[in-house]
Amino acid sequence: MAKTILELQGVVKRYGATLGVGPVDVDVREGEFLTLLGPSGCGKTTTLHIVAGLLSPDEGRVMLGARDITRLDPQHRDMGVVFQNYALFPHKTVLDNVAFGLRMRGTPRAEIGGRVRRMLDLVGLPGVEARLPGQLSGGQRQRVALARALVIEPTVLLLDEPLSNLDAVLRKRMRLDLRELQQRLGIATIFVTHDQDEAFEMSDRVVLLNGGRVEQVGTPEELYDDPATRFAAEFIGETNLIEGVVAATTGATIAVDTVAGGRYDAFAPGRSLRSGDPVYVMIRPERIDLVSERPSGAVALPATVVKRVFAGDIVTFELRTDHGLLLHCSKPSLAEYRALAPGAAVWAIVRDCRALPRDGAAGA
Amino acid sequence: MEASGRYGRLLLTPIAVIYLVALVAPISFFLVMSVFRYSALDLWIPTVTGENFARLLGESYHRAIIARTLKIALLTSVGCLALGYPLAWYLARTTSAWRGVLMFLVIAPLMTGVIVRTYGWIVLLGSEGTVNSVLRGLGLIDRPLKILHTEAAVLIALVHILLPYMVFPLFAALAGQDPDLERAAHTLGAGRARTFLEVTLPLSRPGILMGSALVFTLTAGAVVTPALMGGKDVQMLGQTIYELTMSTLNWPLASAVAFLLVLCQLTILLVYFRVGRRRVA
């Protein structure tokens, strides 16, 4: 495993009597793209500002390697920050904006011009040195902000929702460009976003924040497949959550009796769940197969199509099982699925279901 | 579109009439008057002459008044800027619950008359005033200091009275700045002083120019405060016009002084629009 280069240890920030964030424990590894994901007000920008030194935590420590930088001023931290609105200095040219950090570091004049130009080439924006930020498009400003943050060769790159002000097409392209640039430079990056697609496409690991606390940390696959909490399950992707109680456990496989009736064999790796624990059975909508004939061998639930929504590449269904459960299911836009109209009788085969703790029951 | 143009004209008519009657007409009147000949009997004789301007610029008495007026206007602007900038900066940046109260305190002086505020300063600075009483009570001085009827007294009162005109443009310029700009400068390695000099100050330039232009032109034309605080000893252009118009009844000379004053003020406004309105973003 790569070395940890930055670590937040039990960081707490209060605004008056109300809690901003905390306690938050996060580690950033060498060369890693780490995303702080969460709804607005979850404390992700506050956490980023604490890393940058723009906010001072009330409790806890910020460690850069073995060095405690909790009380270090931002100008001595060597962190490159890209702000949501880019925060380019409107009265300075692109050249002076990008050169700013180098000048503050006392880089020799002769060296500055070349480094600025090389960095502008790297972000794919050559030849705009003489322009003012006001004369650039949103996408160009974003690249200048990136160049300004990177030219100082920071230890960590901090990105605060840098893509949220771009239009949809540009945003998708910048995701790929940004990720590629980050990998090429091998720079540890903390990325803040409320957009789950962005987080999943770009990140090595995702820290899911909710109400100022860390809900779950993991790779995008881990967060999608095994959400630790109801919030994680519902914030990330579409999901079916069925209330139940653990009936029996066999290793990582547990049998769950649902409240509505019926037993599911769910998978719960790495969770110590015991008989009698309240749980949710989680089923992702694309992991339900629909067939019209009763299948042999597989466990299948008889159900009726309640609603069908055509969304181009996929078709989503609302099913009511004979137990009375409402299930959401999504299938590729193929003729066999498009033919299933409301009222059609189907068999739902659950390909993969997971169990996660419910109502503060012991988890993880 | 045409209708909106017609309504637009209709809406602008009352203010246009007021401006025409109360501003353009009198200004044209004294512009013309300033080149007429003075007569003790007829007030003025309509023959074109340059003697009013020659007197104004030639006599050392008048030249001293012009120089003093410009000096006091400049010093008042500098004083208001020096006191107003920190105040405006604090008001723009504070998240304190007292911000509203402080804003009110800045505006409050504008709600009392200029005479009331000037008399307040007379009470403080007079030879039997508070400042002298305290200094004598402390045994620091034997005889009362002459503070009233000095340029310093005029300056102190004008800075106090005109401060809000400086604070508000500055506040608007500072409050309009994206707080992330200063944060960005910090993360790029600039300390507080460098950030102020490189980012905050240049971006507040429109406010500095606007506030200075307002305070300068208001000071240059001030009458009541210089008259009450300075008296005969600190004569400025405003008082000169007043006296020439009301007691000496030399209207042509008064018009020439007024012409000069308006010229000064227009120059300042022109500089403001040329320099201050240069777009930065």
Side-chain angles (χ1 to χ4, degrees):
Chain A
M1 189 192 290
K3 208 174 80 197
T4 294
I5 60 162
L6 181 93
E7 202 176 356
L8 298 186
Q9 299 173 342
V11 163
V12 174
K13 178 72 191 171
R14 294 185 195 87
Y15 292 108
T18 58
L19 184 77
V21 295
V24 165
D25 293 274
V26 172
D27 64 301
V28 186
R29 297 166 193 164
E30 219 161 45
E32 175 181 47
F33 197 111
L34 182 83
T35 294
L36 303 180
L37 173 68
S40 55
C42 73
K44 47 195 195 299
T45 294
T46 301
T47 306
L48 198 77
H49 280 193
I50 289 170
V51 173
L54 296 167
L55 277 176
S56 204
D58 295 312
E59 285 171 35
R61 295 196 300 174
V62 183
M63 303 294 293
L64 190 65
R67 201 162 143 233
D68 185 343
I69 59 163
T70 315
R71 303 285 158 215
L72 193 68
D73 285 333
Q75 59 264 37
H76 301 123
R77 285 201 182 190
D78 268 342
M79 307 244 175
V81 187
V82 176
F83 293 86
Q84 189 169 4
N85 299 314
Y86 319 131
L88 295 176
F89 306 126
H91 58 303
K92 291 180 187 287
T93 61
V94 169
L95 175 73
D96 289 340
N97 264 282
V98 180
F100 190 86
L102 295 175
R103 264 178 55 227
M104 294 304 124
R105 278 164 176 70
T107 308
R109 232 167 208 291
E111 207 183 297
I112 289 179
R115 281 178 70 177
V116 168
R117 262 186 293 281
R118 275 199 297 282
M119 192 46 74
L120 286 172
D121 281 348
L122 191 67
V123 298
L125 206 61
V128 296
E129 288 92 334
R131 294 208 214 147
L132 288 171
Q135 298 167 318
L136 302 176
S137 71
Q140 288 175 320
R141 270 181 244 178
Q142 208 261 346
R143 285 168 193 270
V144 172
L146 195 60
R148 186 178 69 174
L150 285 172
V151 78
I152 58 172
E153 293 173 0
T155 331
V156 185
L157 179 64
L158 308 177
L159 307 167
D160 188 2
E161 306 226 13
L163 307 180
S164 62
N165 285 330
L166 304 176
D167 65 62
V169 178
L170 198 56
R171 190 157 58 223
K172 285 212 160 175
R173 218 185 82 203
M174 278 307 293
R175 278 182 203 167
L176 300 173
D177 286 4
L178 198 56
R179 175 61 166 157
E180 200 216 60
L181 185 65
Q182 183 267 337
Q183 282 180 323
R184 186 137 50 108
L185 297 174
I187 184 172
T189 300
I190 305 180
F191 180 80
V192 160
T193 185
H194 63 268
D195 184 325
Q196 175 228 317
D197 293 340
E198 234 167 68
F200 274 27
E201 281 180 33
M202 298 169 77
S203 318
D204 294 310
R205 286 191 308 149
V206 174
V207 177
L208 182 65
L209 290 168
N210 179 33
R213 286 170 213 280
V214 175
E215 198 81 17
Q216 192 172 359
V217 183
T219 64
E221 288 86 351
E222 284 166 353
L223 259 69
Y224 189 77
D225 292 344
D226 274 303
T229 60
R230 176 180 180 164
F231 174 82
E234 288 183 332
F235 189 78
I236 293 163
E238 297 290 316
T239 195
N240 293 294
L241 285 180
I242 303 155
E243 288 181 24
V245 175
V246 176
T249 65
T250 329
T253 307
I254 60 171
V256 178
D257 284 332
T258 63
V259 173
R263 176 170 288 199
Y264 291 81
D265 282 328
F267 192 51
R271 291 210 181 97
S272 51
L273 290 167
R274 294 200 196 99
S275 289
D277 281 349
V279 289
Y280 288 109
V281 171
M282 186 202 79
I283 308 166
R284 295 291 184 190
E286 76 283 4
R287 294 180 187 174
I288 299 173
D289 274 349
L290 292 184
V291 291
S292 42
E293 300 292 318
R294 176 171 200 157
S296 57
V299 180
L301 306 167
T304 312
V305 173
V306 179
K307 206 194 228 171
R308 185 196 63 187
V309 178
F310 173 70
D313 56 343
I314 59 164
V315 187
T316 63
F317 294 98
E318 219 174 275
L319 310 174
R320 185 171 296 281
T321 67
D322 291 1
H323 288 308
L325 273 178
L326 213 55
L327 286 181
H328 293 272
C329 164
S330 65
K331 299 312 309 171
S333 185
L334 301 171
E336 63 200 272
Y337 297 116
R338 287 163 75 162
L340 293 172
V346 290
W347 291 86
I349 308 167
V350 177
R351 295 281 294 270
D352 177 88
C353 68
R354 309 281 171 135
L356 55 114
R358 173 165 64 97
D359 293 334
Chain B
M1 280 300 117
E2 213 191 332
S4 90
R6 196 157 54 232
Y7 285 127
R9 274 198 290 279
L10 203 67
L11 289 169
L12 290 176
T13 303
I15 193 74
V17 167
I18 290 173
Y19 263 68
L20 214 63
V21 172
L23 195 75
V24 178
I27 286 177
S28 319
F29 177 74
F30 79 67
L31 276 180
V32 174
M33 179 72 71
S34 66
V35 293
F36 284 175
R37 195 179 296 277
Y38 167 69
S39 153
L41 275 172
D42 303 319
L43 237 47
W44 75 84
I45 302 163
T47 45
V48 176
T49 170
E51 66 182 25
N52 298 312
F53 288 102
R55 255 191 88 185
L56 197 57
L57 299 171
E59 289 175 9
S60 63
Y61 170 76
H62 287 118
R63 280 221 301 264
I65 292 176
I66 294 168
R68 186 184 300 120
T69 302
L70 294 178
K71 184 176 101 183
I72 290 181
L74 190 71
L75 289 175
T76 306
S77 306
V78 172
C80 283
L81 189 60
L83 291 178
Y85 204 101
L87 177 58
W89 188 88
Y90 179 79
L91 286 173
R93 293 289 185 272
T94 184
T95 50
S96 156
W98 292 94
R99 177 166 155 167
V101 176
L102 284 169
M103 290 291 269
F104 175 76
L105 287 177
V106 176
I107 308 171
L110 294 176
M111 299 177 187
T112 61
V114 63
I115 297 179
V116 173
R117 278 178 290 155
T118 305
Y119 269 114
W121 280 108
I122 292 175
V123 169
L124 281 172
L125 301 179
S127 55
E128 299 301 320
T130 314
V131 172
N132 273 314
S133 304
V134 168
L135 289 176
R136 280 166 87 176
L138 291 171
L140 292 171
I141 50 169
D142 303 328
R143 284 174 301 142
L145 290 173
K146 190 197 175 196
I147 311 174
L148 209 60
H149 298 176
T150 63
E151 282 186 8
V154 175
L155 200 60
I156 290 170
L158 282 172
V159 166
H160 162 239
I161 287 163
L162 297 174
L163 193 61
Y165 295 96
M166 180 64 85
V167 171
F168 280 105
L170 282 176
F171 171 79
L174 288 166
Q177 282 178 23
D178 179 357
D180 278 346
L181 292 175
E182 286 176 3
R183 295 194 185 115
H186 287 316
T187 63
L188 290 166
R192 281 168 165 269
R194 283 306 284 276
T195 302
F196 178 77
L197 291 175
E198 294 266 358
V199 179
T200 316
L201 187 63
L203 288 175
S204 63
R205 192 179 66 169
I208 295 174
L209 287 167
M210 178 75 186
S212 305
L214 274 175
V215 171
F216 189 93
T217 52
L218 287 172
T219 312
V223 178
V224 175
T225 307
L228 293 177
M229 297 299 293
K232 277 277 167 220
D233 301 342
V234 193
Q235 186 95 3
M236 286 172 66
L237 287 176
Q239 292 146 273
T240 310
I241 298 169
Y242 179 81
E243 273 160 25
L244 286 170
T245 317
M246 306 306 282
S247 12
T248 325
L249 295 181
N250 187 340
W251 287 15
L253 188 59
S255 295
V257 179
F259 179 83
L260 197 73
L261 188 57
V262 169
L263 198 70
C264 278
Q265 293 170 330
L266 283 180
T267 310
I268 291 293
L269 286 178
L270 204 71
V271 168
Y272 165 70
F273 278 107
R274 287 296 292 269
V275 181
R277 285 294 148 118
R278 205 190 296 149
R279 305 264 310 157
V280 284

